[in-house]
Amino acid sequence: MKPELASISNSRQDTQSLLSVRDLVVEYSIRQGSLRAVDGASLDVHPGELMAVVGESGCGKSTLAYSIIRHVPYPGEIKGGTILFDGQDVLGMDRKALRQFRWKEIAIVFQAAQNALNPVMRIADQMVDTVLDHEKQPREQIIQRASSLLEMVRLNPDRVLRSYPFELSGGMRQRVIIALSLLLNPRMLILDEPTTALDVVTQVYILDILADIRQDLGLAMMLLTHDIAIVARVADRVAVMYAGQIVEEGAINDIFYHPRHPYTYGLIQSAPSLIGDLTKKKPIEGAPPNFLNMPSGCRFHPRCAYATSVCREKEPVMEASDRWRVACHHWREIEMGE
Ligand SMILES: Nc1ncnc2c1ncn2[C@@H]1O[C@H](COP(=O)(O)OP(=O)(O)OP(=O)(O)O)[C@@H](O)[C@H]1O
Ligand code: SF4
Ligand SMILES: [Mg+2]
């Protein structure tokens, strides 16, 4: 039995949000045309909340993250929408305001950031430079804060501060980057695939550390990943992204055990890190669409076992209750897994 909707609306406005993204459109201008990597994405992150954004490679996760700090790489451009952080209009900020905003309000751990540490500088100097880039502080004070953050990510501060990046393992470097991103005490941390290059045990270890940090510092987090199972242990809510659009969103416990969108169900079935029987994992059939030649109607229809003619003809609208939202013509009827 499907639950009845208490109310349905297409655009939930959320006055409690720390971060509020509405109808975001981001395009890369490439030789073949305009590639719309994010197409009308809306989401909210509340203070202290951990929001996961999940989807296959190329669905637009990193582009979404870059947009939030207005750092979309060339030839990308934000074409529409609004981004509010604690009520401030991020897209309207001048250079000075943007500089304050990045790192001090929102910090980001970029995808593969563990490889971006300067190889010829000791970690201590990289910590000091990062802070001095933004504000004047005595070196001892910076080292003190760096030490306590390194302890928080379960590293030995004395050893690590003296080290060069090559002296640390991949997992340790990732933890250094997380500590570095927290130096200016941001209210929100965005982590783009923070565990992808690491072995499963280290992935779990880092997620536990993130959970501790969130509890100790009370900051909000947005965690972008292709692996819904790994975030199920730590996230409060999840937004599922397909071909530049958010197709489902809600509390992780609800979405993970009762997905309404067939793509979400596919992600859960194919999740590489689920503890359990590897032989039961089923990859989603077919490939993500070409952004320059999107399928008509529902973008997922060529890969969806439940697709009907309406799916091929009409784009589904987002339907929302006060706890979740989904964009699928048939979410009411389909019993996932049958
Ligand atoms: N600099 C760029 N120039 C042109 N196209 C780009 C650029 N960066 C990303 N894209 C395209 O935009 C789309 C979204 O890419 P994005 O990197 O945001 O996805 P992603 O979900 O982060 O993928 P992954 O999981 O592989 O990191 C893809 O089709 C990608 O090819
Ligand atoms: S709208 Fe149709 S094609 Fe798209 S996910 Fe739902 S059932 Fe599948
Ligand atoms: Mg990415």
Side-chain angles (χ1 to χ4, degrees):
M1 276 289 285
K2 296 287 175 196
E4 289 300 314
L5 287 184
S7 64
I8 292 181
S9 69
N10 288 334
S11 174
R12 188 168 56 118
Q13 285 299 326
D14 197 331
T15 49
Q16 308 295 315
S17 301
L18 180 61
L19 173 73
S20 179
V21 177
R22 285 288 174 279
D23 307 317
L24 184 70
V25 175
V26 188
E27 289 181 355
Y28 293 100
S29 292
I30 54 173
R31 206 155 31 89
Q32 299 92 321
S34 282
L35 186 156
R36 191 167 277 201
V38 176
D39 191 3
S42 299
L43 58 79
D44 291 279
V45 182
H46 302 123
E49 180 176 59
L50 199 162
M51 164 68 106
V53 178
V54 179
E56 288 165 298
S57 180
C59 71
K61 302 179 297 293
S62 294
T63 306
L64 172 67
Y66 293 140
S67 309
I68 291 168
I69 56 157
R70 276 198 32 212
H71 195 67
V72 182
Y74 178 83
E77 203 183 325
I78 297 173
K79 292 286 188 179
T82 54
I83 300 173
L84 299 182
F85 186 82
D86 198 16
Q88 305 166 77
D89 174 12
V90 176
L91 299 184
M93 284 177 184
D94 60 22
R95 278 169 68 103
K96 193 167 163 227
L98 203 52
R99 220 178 130 68
Q100 290 297 309
F101 171 68
R102 293 184 189 145
W103 287 84
K104 288 177 112 173
E105 299 279 16
I106 293 193
I108 183 163
V109 172
F110 289 107
Q111 196 162 354
Q114 69 266 34
N115 304 322
L117 286 165
N118 187 331
V120 294
M121 263 175 105
R122 289 184 201 275
I123 301 300
D125 296 326
Q126 304 200 38
M127 295 274 186
V128 170
D129 279 10
T130 301
V131 174
L132 294 182
D133 256 2
H134 289 85
E135 63 187 30
K136 262 196 170 160
Q137 267 189 38
R139 185 181 166 93
E140 307 75 63
Q141 191 179 317
I142 301 170
I143 294 293
Q144 208 172 27
R145 170 137 180 97
S147 299
S148 75
L149 288 168
L150 287 169
E151 265 171 19
M152 204 176 275
V153 297
R154 304 183 199 167
L155 289 170
N156 176 331
D158 295 334
R159 190 198 140 196
V160 169
L161 285 169
R162 269 187 279 114
S163 300
Y164 290 97
F166 73 86
E167 296 174 290
L168 308 172
S169 69
M172 289 168 89
R173 288 202 300 273
Q174 185 65 308
R175 284 184 277 156
V176 167
I177 291 279
I178 291 168
L180 195 89
S181 69
L182 296 170
L183 275 172
L184 285 140
N185 210 7
R187 285 196 282 167
M188 183 169 168
L189 180 60
I190 300 177
L191 300 124
D192 191 358
E193 300 276 7
T195 63
T196 301
L198 308 170
D199 63 83
V200 174
V201 175
T202 312
Q203 287 186 20
V204 171
Y205 188 59
I206 290 203
L207 288 170
D208 284 348
I209 288 173
L210 290 176
D212 285 354
I213 291 174
R214 190 160 74 102
Q215 202 166 28
D216 289 355
L217 301 181
L219 80 173
M221 291 187 185
M222 182 189 273
L223 203 158
L224 302 105
T225 175
H226 62 280
D227 186 348
I228 192 166
I230 197 103
V231 291
R233 349 173 354 111
V234 290
D236 298 310
R237 282 191 303 135
V238 61
V240 178
M241 208 169 171
Y242 187 73
Q245 299 182 326
I246 289 170
V247 295
E248 181 162 18
E249 190 235 296
I252 186 83
N253 289 336
D254 185 31
I255 303 276
F256 195 74
Y257 295 105
H258 308 286
R260 292 169 183 85
H261 198 288
Y263 177 63
T264 312
Y265 180 68
L267 283 181
I268 295 166
Q269 291 294 100
S270 64
S273 62
L274 265 179
I275 319 290
D277 187 350
L278 281 166
T279 59
K280 289 196 178 142
K281 294 188 200 319
K282 279 195 277 177
I284 305 174
E285 282 184 24
N290 177 349
F291 275 75
L292 296 170
N293 186 21
M294 275 296 173
S296 59
C298 171
R299 295 175 176 194
F300 187 56
H301 87 247
R303 305 173 73 188
C304 182
Y306 307 95
T308 62
S309 54
V310 68
C311 305
R312 290 184 276 277
E313 286 154 19
K314 213 172 134 199
E315 191 165 355
V317 293
M318 185 66 86
E319 297 183 54
S321 78
D322 51 0
R323 290 174 297 115
W324 49 262
R325 57 195 173 118
V326 64
C328 168
H329 290 302
H330 296 308
W331 71 266
R332 285 179 185 77
E333 308 101 69
I334 38 189
E335 292 291 342
M336 234 61 87
E338 290 186 350

